[in-house]
Amino acid sequence: MTASKRVQILLLSLFLLVIFGEGAVQAIVELGRGERPQALDLFTRTPNAANLRAYETEMEKTAWSAKALRPAMQYVRFAGYGDLGEKALLGRDGWLFYRPDVSFLLEPWPQTVATPVPQDDPLKAIVAFRDALAERGIALLVVPAPGKPSVYPDRLSARAARTHTGAHGHARAFMDRLEEAGVSCVDLFALYREARAENADAQLYLARDTHWSPVGLRMAASAVADRIRAEGWIAEGAVAYEEEVVAIQREGDVLRMVDAPRIAAEFEPEQVDCQQIIDPATGEPYRDDPASPVLVLGDSFLRIYERDEPGSAGFIAHLARELKQPVASIVSDGGASTLVRQELQRKPELLRGKKLVVWEFVERDLRFGMEGWKLVSLPNTETVAPS
Amino acid sequence: MVFTSHIFIFYFLPLTLLVYYLLPVPRNFFLLIMSYIFYGWWNPWFASLMLFASYANYVCGHVIATSPVGSVRRKRALVASIVISLTTLGFFKYFMFFENNLNAMLDVLGAGTLPVIQITLPIGISFFIFQSLSYPIDVYRGDSPPVRNFFDFACFVALFPQLIAGPIVRYNTIAEQLVQRDHTMEKFTSGVALFILGFAKKILLANQMGGPADAVFSAESPAMLDAWFGVVAYAFQIYFDFSAYSDMAIGLGRMFGFEFPRNFNAPYLSDSITDFWRRWHISLSTFLRDYLYIPLGGNRHGERRTYINLTIVMLLGGLWHGANWTFVIWGAFHGLLLAFERWRGKESVYSRLPRPLRVGITFVLVLFSWVLFRSVDISTASAYFKAMLGLASASGGSVLLDSVIYTRGNLIVMALCALLAVCGTQAHDWVEKLTVTRVVLLIGVFVLALMTMFVQAFNPFLYFQF
């Protein structure tokens, strides 16, 4: 190698400064706060694979350099590459998409190759749940919620916009399997496709959120109510709920998952006009009734506008308005596949007097559902006192 | 531990350098301890396997060295070392493959299947088994002197800079350095420069190309253009990932006074498959040549035997990469092409074309082989080939693939990769002449790569799986 002494010293000094500097500054910062340097935590735990991974992760998370530089680098990569990190994808016209929503559509499902953890079969779990409910005289209505890329492929992909090609495949095929197994479903995919065929700009989902808009959820609630009425599972109620328009601003959960304030600042919050459902008897926003003949299970698609701002303006309240009676509900973010049924098992009183269970889950959860699709038995309601 | 991790860059490396240079003696023993920490960081139990392989080969080497040339004892010790090493490798790497294939056969015969014992593959096992095995063979052949003590030998096997993914350092390459090596500022500086370039290649290029490659290879039915884009992205990912590891390994070696062999030399500038194997994973090619091809007879027993030997070596080379039929076919593909070129006097069938065309055709042949290398099984590879040849149409969600792969970042980095891949000056050559401008560039790239590391998810080197 040819390099003058001066050049060698320059490179070595800068390199050593960088690699020694991080640990030294970190230790000084921690000692300055009166804490023991975190690096020494290594000697306080048993050196097994799990502890070493945890130690390494904690060191990375709390490093001053990473904390100081990460936001700037996230912004640089966004500005230069249009990169939003591991969780999000930048679509067209300022639309953002949740990466697992897209992966679910892109990749084969059910998985054709062996996976490290064997995948549960959602069909088995749903059919078993349907059968267990039927034994108690309760009907089940399954409502797979389309992921945003299924409804708006053109806002993600220039090719989809050019070819007017839809992207939904797995969920549609799965609903066919459900119907073959005699499970009742509501096809929101077809509903939204028709809505967009009539008006391509129909705002059924939020641009920077994974979830539906107030328009989208009203359509869903209306379709589900139509199906319930058609099947005659429950008697129609008599509550004439009122509506009140409440305007809110939403940053969008996709943007929030990017976790980069400087990137978030590049996007205006979305103005969303919600229809809050008002109980005419009290003049207060809608509230669930655990004694209702209808129990609604689902994920964050039920939480948005309902338990989030402005409240009582989500799918549950709108379904109640359509049915003219309050419903009961269990909502678990990302946990519609298994966690909601486990929660139902812990709350047997919610099953008392039920005629119908409406089970919503987002399509990607067929593959990525938290805790998979476990078989969960129904709770024993006979020992529960009436609430 | 991974070179491109916070814990390695900011804690393990500075601490190891500091103590190493403060210690008067014995530095090899300190490197041995740090190498075992480095390896055991992944899973402390794996370190015991490496210790076993090292000790077994050390004992065999010692028996060989202390036995008269031509004696039965000497031969037995050599056979024992080969059997122990290959049995260890075979059990951990190929036993499940054997079980699965046996079950598949039993299933076809309607005889029921046997329960499959799940075995965790210790990281880098192929590398450290090959390295430790080279010692008794070299001593048997008289190519290198016996090692002076077990700690030096264990240090050679475990040496953390090149432990996990090479270059495969043979004992006779490093025997003298274990006893006596120079520590100069010039060597250290060139090591730092090479390490930085490797680090940047991995973080800024390979990891970025891994995104589109993974997306396309895991897609249900990619369109023709997407399939080509995906395999080109993978070609760049594997090159910049593996050559980055080698650069970092060689750079780290220099920081500790070692000189490891060069592992890559602009492989995508090859104008034939024969040329490709002179430039790609050079340490494996030479290892297979010296320890397999030549013992099989090489080219000394006529043309037909030469072709057979070439194909056998490449088949086993493929299997060395992984216990999967895709790797076997990948090896056979290269072996047959090498044999064909040997038949033509080490010339490709397109050798009369202008060099840019020869390079282009070779690259396309290599791309086809990468499909086998990257695919999880043969049916996936077959579907991918169909997509590349336009024999399958995109369907379902694959229409969205463009949004994931043709991003600004991927296009910029792919163009940069293409430029660097066809650029004659490789990292090794570039660090040979350092100027102030190059130092500023190196530090700038290092800081940029570090900042990028902070926003990237865990992304180990591809060759860790081998």
Side-chain angles (χ1 to χ4, degrees), chain B residues 25-77:
Chain B
V25 280
R27 285 171 164 175
N28 285 355
F29 186 66
F30 174 68
L31 274 183
L32 171 65
I33 292 169
M34 295 313 283
S35 296
Y36 268 79
I37 293 173
F38 176 87
Y39 187 67
W41 194 264
W42 206 270
N43 184 336
W45 289 106
F46 290 169
S48 56
L49 181 69
M50 188 165 64
L51 185 65
F52 164 75
S54 303
Y55 190 69
N57 281 301
Y58 169 74
V59 170
C60 291
H62 182 73
V63 172
I64 291 167
T66 54
S67 305
V69 175
S71 66
V72 175
R73 191 166 178 257
R74 199 172 152 93
K75 277 184 184 158
R76 280 185 181 158

Side-chain angles (χ1 to χ4, degrees), chain A residues 1-2 8 12 20 22 47 53 56 60 63 70 73 77 79-81 105-108 113 156-159 170, chain B residues 6 10 14 41-42 44 186 188 190 208 218 220 226 376 397 399 402-403 408-409 431-432 434 451-452 454:
Chain A
M1 186 192 80
T2 56
Q8 290 178 36
L12 288 189
F20 279 91
E22 153 72 25
R53 281 303 75 65
E56 194 174 342
E60 277 172 19
R70 194 177 287 130
M73 198 59 210
R77 288 183 67 82
Y81 286 176
L105 297 178
L106 281 177
E107 296 168 15
V113 293
L156 172 64
S157 147
R159 185 191 291 162
H170 304 322
Chain B
H6 184 271
F10 296 124
W41 194 264
W42 206 270
E186 191 176 326
F188 193 102
S190 75
Q208 181 76 31
S218 58
E220 190 168 15
D226 300 349
V376 288
V399 71
D402 65 324
S403 64
R408 203 184 321 150
V431 301
E432 283 305 302
L434 286 181
M451 288 172 67
T452 306
F454 294 147

